[in-house]
Amino acid sequence: GSMFGALDISTVAFAKAQGHGGIGGIVLGVISGGSFVGGLVYGARKWHAPLWKRLLVGALLLAVGFSILSSMPTLLTYAAVGFVVGMVIAPSITAQDSVAQRLVPQDQLLEGMSWLRIGLGAGVALGGWLSGRLIDHDGYRAGLHVMAFSAVAVAVFALAGIWWIRRDTLAAAAAGRPDVPPPPCGAHGEQ
């Protein structure tokens, strides 16, 4: 979440620093467009790679992508690279949600998904606050560094916990718990 909070604040600050303050929102839209395309491609494909690998690859790609994005010299290159990096956002969040859907007991799924969203929201607030504060003191590049650092932290946490995620997602898959539960059958939702 802090990655996204820092992305929002830093992108607008970058646009202002480049003398194009009015298009900061458009650049964010370009990055969101990349996420949209990535989500469509990810969702349209039947994945054979295990869920734990998709989660890890997404986290690593976010770290590399946001680190590269934080060093872009112009707003145009930032937007172009941002579109490509954005293509990793929706698939990564989807993989994260799929892990929760597979591992959290079904009678606690709403609570489990709520914790994910609460953590994401708290991270957005933290990243926005921290990057805004640093931008005020050191300029937009400091906010971009918060974004990149946050993305690298996601990859570090993914690497640190991948043994647990791998073990439990593979066990859940072997027990017949799919990434997403199948829709109910019958007129009244009976299965």
Side-chain angles (χ1 to χ4, degrees):
S2 62
M3 176 177 59
F4 299 131
L7 169 70
D8 292 348
I9 300 294
S10 301
T11 299
V12 172
F14 188 11
K16 283 183 181 178
Q18 296 278 307
H20 304 291
I23 65 167
I26 293 170
V27 174
L28 286 171
V30 168
I31 296 168
S32 296
S35 181
F36 174 75
V37 170
L40 287 176
V41 171
Y42 184 87
R45 183 161 189 245
K46 178 157 177 55
W47 290 93
H48 299 290
L51 181 56
W52 68 271
K53 280 186 183 177
R54 288 181 271 152
L55 181 74
L56 182 60
V57 167
L60 294 173
L61 288 175
L62 283 174
V64 170
F66 277 103
S67 295
I68 292 169
L69 187 62
S70 71
S71 66
M72 290 295 101
T74 68
L75 200 55
L76 183 60
T77 57
Y78 183 86
V81 170
F83 181 83
V84 175
V85 173
M87 293 176 71
V88 181
I89 295 171
S92 296
I93 292 173
T94 302
Q96 164 198 294
D97 288 349
S98 295
V99 167
Q101 289 175 347
R102 186 172 284 176
L103 299 184
V104 174
Q106 293 302 299
D107 62 340
Q108 294 178 311
L109 186 57
L110 180 60
E111 180 182 354
M113 297 303 288
S114 296
W115 278 112
L116 283 176
R117 294 302 170 261
I118 289 167
L120 184 66
V124 168
L126 175 65
W129 170 80
L130 181 58
S131 62
R133 210 164 147 78
L134 292 174
I135 288 167
D136 286 344
H137 291 287
D138 300 318
Y140 73 90
R141 196 65 69 183
L144 292 175
H145 291 145
V146 171
M147 175 190 74
F149 176 82
S150 298
V152 169
V154 168
V156 168
F157 286 128
L159 284 167
I162 202 63
W163 66 270
W164 172 74
I165 294 168
R166 180 182 184 275
R167 180 195 69 198
D168 290 356
T169 56
L170 291 176
R177 291 179 66 190
D179 289 356
V180 179
C185 301
H188 300 290
E190 304 94 6
Q191 293 199 12

